[in-house]
Amino acid sequence: MTALLAGELRRLMARRMIKVLALLALLGIAIGGVATFLNTEQTSEAVLGRRRAAAEARVADCVRQVPVVPGPGVPPGGKAGLSPAGQEDFCRFRYGGVTDRRLKLEKLKGVLQGLTAPLVIVAWVVGASSIGAEWQARSITTLLTWEPRRVRVMAAKVVAAVIVAWVFSLVAWALLSAALLPAVFVHGTTAGTGAGWLGSTVAVVLRGELMIAVATSVGFAVASIGRNTAAALGVGFAYFLVIENVVGNFLAGFRRWLLLGNAIVLISGKDSGGDVVGRSVLVAGLYLTGVAVTLLVVATVLFQRRDIA
């Protein structure tokens, strides 16, 4: 089993698709790091204090000039316009903003969480192509000549795909964090970070890795059942475009049984997150894992029974 798994890992890592995805990820991370550095600045608390004082002065000046509706507390003859509460809200919205262009390290958790969605798509593609390409090239026949135990072959292939997707995502998260460090050190602040922040950031990565394993396994299973990479991509596109949108929009109570709804809850780390009422993070993780395992079992049974030639 070890030799089989090692062979599958070498086969996947040698694929041109993995190299292209890695280059695209490096390019995107580099652009993101440079753009973040150029759009942030180091600002002292004293400067921010002066900006806030100036903003409050602008708000007060606006309040004096904007007409209000006559009413309790308004002198007779007051001009028609906003209510007193609406007057202040309008002025604060228009003039009360204070720009803080420092990069806060505490926001790294949200950045990593946002990167999870594209990494899940990459995992789906990796899982689907790891078996779909074998069917298309008919190299699966050669492999079964060397290792006829089909369950072992399926297990090795899906484990290798999950490992590659895991490593890819971990490297992407690490490189993105490193790309943001210059902006953090030069234009940033570590305020708000601590033991709780570190634990929640690690939790984001762990939940993301579970979602990536699920996406890889589901993509692998669908491609194996359809005997084609395009089958997994087509099914995924149709499912998320049609079923998720139609059912999710018209049957809100059914969202907790859809993949996307559970994925939102899991990645966000919030019970009933993304308007998926009644679904906890733990149950979402268990549900998604159950879907992946079920599809893998179906794919394995079909793989055992179908004619490969």
Side-chain angles (χ1 to χ4, degrees):
M1 183 65 179
T2 303
L4 184 60
L5 178 59
E8 291 299 326
L9 286 171
R10 287 194 297 270
R11 189 198 310 272
L12 265 178
M13 294 303 297
R15 300 264 324 263
R16 182 181 302 175
M17 179 201 67
I18 300 296
K19 298 176 182 178
V20 170
L21 288 173
L23 287 175
L24 291 174
L26 286 173
L27 180 61
I29 289 171
I31 292 174
V34 173
T36 300
F37 187 86
L38 294 177
N39 286 278
T40 54
E41 65 176 5
Q42 182 56 271
T43 307
S44 66
E45 288 295 334
V47 172
L48 285 175
R50 289 195 292 271
R51 289 179 182 176
R52 294 188 184 101
E56 289 298 323
R58 290 194 299 269
V59 171
D61 186 60
C62 172
V63 169
R64 287 193 297 270
Q65 296 181 24
V66 175
V68 298
V69 175
V74 178
K79 297 179 181 178
L82 298 172
S83 66
Q87 179 190 40
E88 182 173 356
D89 290 343
F90 168 78
C91 292
R92 194 162 295 281
F93 172 78
R94 187 168 182 179
Y95 299 108
V98 176
T99 302
D100 183 359
R101 294 180 61 190
R102 296 177 298 174
L103 180 62
K104 297 179 176 62
L105 185 58
E106 64 175 343
K107 292 184 177 180
L108 179 62
K109 179 178 69 173
V111 173
L112 298 181
Q113 195 173 74
L115 184 60
T116 303
L119 288 177
V120 167
I121 296 174
V122 169
W124 182 287
V125 174
V126 169
S129 64
S130 66
I131 184 66
E134 298 286 328
W135 283 113
Q136 291 173 277
R138 302 187 66 82
S139 57
I140 196 75
T141 305
T142 305
L143 177 59
L144 290 177
T145 302
W146 176 64
E147 174 54 83
R149 290 170 291 187
R150 298 189 180 190
V151 174
R152 289 169 65 91
V153 169
M154 286 288 282
K157 283 186 172 296
V158 71
V159 170
V162 170
I163 290 175
V164 169
W166 272 348
V167 172
F168 188 98
S169 60
L170 283 175
V171 172
W173 277 319
L175 289 178
L176 179 60
S177 301
L180 296 178
L181 285 181
V184 172
F185 290 143
V186 180
H187 297 157
T189 174
T190 58
T193 60
W197 168 84
L198 180 60
S200 61
T201 303
V202 172
V204 166
V205 174
L206 293 178
R207 292 194 305 271
E209 289 290 32
L210 175 58
M211 189 64 236
I212 285 166
V214 168
T216 307
S217 301
V218 172
F220 179 93
V222 175
S224 179
I225 294 171
R227 301 177 69 158
N228 198 300
T229 303
L233 300 181
V235 168
F237 179 79
Y239 173 80
F240 288 106
L241 182 65
V242 179
I243 297 179
E244 288 280 355
N245 279 324
V246 173
V247 176
N249 289 331
F250 291 98
L251 298 174
F254 199 74
R255 288 177 186 169
R256 65 180 183 272
W257 301 109
L258 299 176
L259 295 182
L260 183 58
N262 284 275
I264 292 174
V265 173
L266 178 62
I267 294 173
S268 68
K270 298 177 181 178
D271 294 343
S272 300
D275 296 328
V276 185
V277 180
R279 181 65 80 207
S280 68
V281 176
L282 176 61
V283 174
L286 293 174
Y287 177 78
L288 291 169
T289 302
V291 170
V293 170
T294 301
L295 288 174
L296 285 174
V297 170
V298 172
T300 302
V301 171
L302 291 176
F303 185 67
Q304 284 182 292
R305 295 182 178 182
R306 71 185 3 160
D307 184 10
I308 302 299

